[in-house]
Amino acid sequence: MATGRSARNPVPGIVNWVKRQKPKVKVFLAVVAGTAALFFLRLVVRDHDKLFIASEAVHSIGIAVLIYKLAKEKTCAGLSLKSQELTALFLAVRLYCSFVMEYDIHTILDSATLITTCWVIYMIRYKLKPTYLSDLDNFRIYHVVIPCAVLAVCIHPRTKNHFIHRILWAFCVYLESVSVLPQLRVMQNTKVVEPFTAHYVFALGVARFLNCAHWVLQAMISRSYLLRALIFSLWPPMVLLSEIVQTFILADFCYYYVKSVVEGQTVLRLPAGVV
């Protein structure tokens, strides 16, 4: 019976085949899979702005998983406080820009995500502080905050909004793309990722991909506009680059997450060199 089930389920065989391939082949397969997913989204999703909403919804689901972990297990082991603080920072800046520049559905979603993120920070800092692994959460956040701020001053959107608002908007875009780095550092230090943390980071990976898909599809549809923007302004290409960077930052982890789920592992173990 087990043999029959294995024969009907080709996924483990495909995963094992991918594992045996060389790193360059794996990168090529990842690019092919990503390209196929983009074309699928282009055919299925007519209004690509909905990908933004879907991205924020998935991010909210990831936060909900964290809340469940903190409330049920009464531990924050494996979570990065610094990553949550960076998330709260870029959400607060983006929320402010939304209020002064364009109030829409994203403002409401960002408000809900910011509130829940602040609650997670409160739980880690105070209620569950004894379980916080501060020695493993050793990423220095000024290594990303300062470069993002400098980059925002140099490259930001050219709109009719106030100069400061345009810089702040660029800052939150750049900071969002690297806000997960402290969490990845914690997982790199522990090498073992418990289920709820893995679910949360995977949700972030899916959210980043949906964001990236929106901008890539926009570039594919309006290639002439992107070409003019590239000539007269660096902002649109930098937004696209930021989305691609944050997607690739999490791509490696997402691969091992899917692999562990397919193999039925309850705890995700990361090999050396991952994230």
Side-chain angles (χ1 to χ4, degrees), residues 29-30 34 38 49 52 63 69 72 74 86 101 119 126 135 141 155 168 181 186 210 219 228 230 234 237-238 256-257:
L29 293 174
L38 285 175
D49 286 335
F52 264 140
I63 294 293
K69 165 190 168 67
K72 180 183 178 182
K74 304 298 182 181
L86 288 177
M101 296 172 67
W119 185 85
Y126 301 106
D135 56 325
I141 59 177
I155 304 176
L168 289 175
L181 287 179
V186 171
L210 292 174
R228 291 196 304 270
L230 181 61
L234 289 175
M238 284 301 296
Y256 284 99
Y257 174 87

Side-chain angles (χ1 to χ4, degrees), residues 155-172:
I155 304 176
H156 50 266
R158 294 183 178 181
T159 63
K160 296 180 180 179
N161 302 101
H162 193 277
F163 177 69
I164 298 299
H165 296 159
R166 288 182 279 146
I167 291 179
L168 289 175
W169 185 262
F171 174 71
C172 71

Side-chain angles (χ1 to χ4, degrees), residues 219 221-229:
I221 293 172
S222 53
R223 282 172 289 184
S224 58
Y225 166 77
L226 187 63
L227 181 60
R228 291 196 304 270

Side-chain angles (χ1 to χ4, degrees), residues 16 35 124 146 273:
N16 290 330
T35 304
I124 296 175
I146 294 177

Side-chain angles (χ1 to χ4, degrees), residues 184 187-189 191 249 252-253 256 269-275:
L184 296 182
M187 295 190 301
Q188 186 181 55
N189 290 335
K191 294 302 178 187
I249 284 175
D252 204 16
F253 171 83
Y256 284 99
R269 300 182 183 277
L270 298 175
V274 177
V275 303

Side-chain angles (χ1 to χ4, degrees), residues 61-240:
I61 292 173
I63 294 293
V65 169
L66 279 191
I67 292 175
Y68 181 79
K69 165 190 168 67
L70 298 178
K72 180 183 178 182
E73 300 189 351
K74 304 298 182 181
T75 176
C76 62
L79 291 180
S80 168
L81 173 61
K82 294 179 180 179
S83 198
Q84 295 302 315
E85 290 173 339
L86 288 177
T87 300
L89 178 58
F90 84 72
L91 282 172
V93 174
R94 190 164 72 187
L95 190 59
Y96 169 76
C97 292
S98 294
F99 275 116
V100 299
M101 296 172 67
E102 50 177 11
Y103 186 90
D104 53 18
I105 183 64
H106 303 291
T107 308
I108 299 173
L109 292 173
D110 280 344
S111 300
T113 306
L114 177 60
I115 291 172
T116 52
T117 301
C118 288
W119 185 85
V120 170
I121 292 173
Y122 169 76
M123 292 295 289
I124 296 175
R125 274 194 173 277
Y126 301 106
K127 293 293 185 179
L128 303 176
K129 186 177 181 179
T131 64
Y132 171 52
L133 306 177
S134 58
D135 56 325
L136 298 181
D137 193 12
N138 54 13
F139 189 93
R140 302 192 182 277
I141 59 177
Y142 61 79
H143 285 170
V144 293
V145 173
I146 294 177
C148 288
V150 172
L151 191 59
V153 172
C154 299
I155 304 176
H156 50 266
R158 294 183 178 181
T159 63
K160 296 180 180 179
N161 302 101
H162 193 277
F163 177 69
I164 298 299
H165 296 159
R166 288 182 279 146
I167 291 179
L168 289 175
W169 185 262
F171 174 71
C172 71
V173 169
Y174 299 142
L175 187 61
E176 181 183 14
S177 66
V178 293
S179 61
V180 74
L181 287 179
Q183 180 62 59
L184 296 182
R185 172 64 67 84
V186 171
M187 295 190 301
Q188 186 181 55
N189 290 335
T190 60
K191 294 302 178 187
V192 177
V193 187
E194 58 84 34
F196 287 116
T197 303
H199 299 334
Y200 164 68
V201 178
F202 179 72
L204 288 183
V206 174
R208 298 297 194 261
F209 173 76
L210 292 174
N211 252 339
C212 182
H214 167 82
W215 286 103
V216 172
L217 291 176
Q218 288 293 95
M220 292 170 62
I221 293 172
S222 53
R223 282 172 289 184
S224 58
Y225 166 77
L226 187 63
L227 181 60
R228 291 196 304 270
L230 181 61
I231 295 174
F232 296 106
S233 173
L234 289 175
W235 169 245
M238 284 301 296
V239 173
L240 184 59

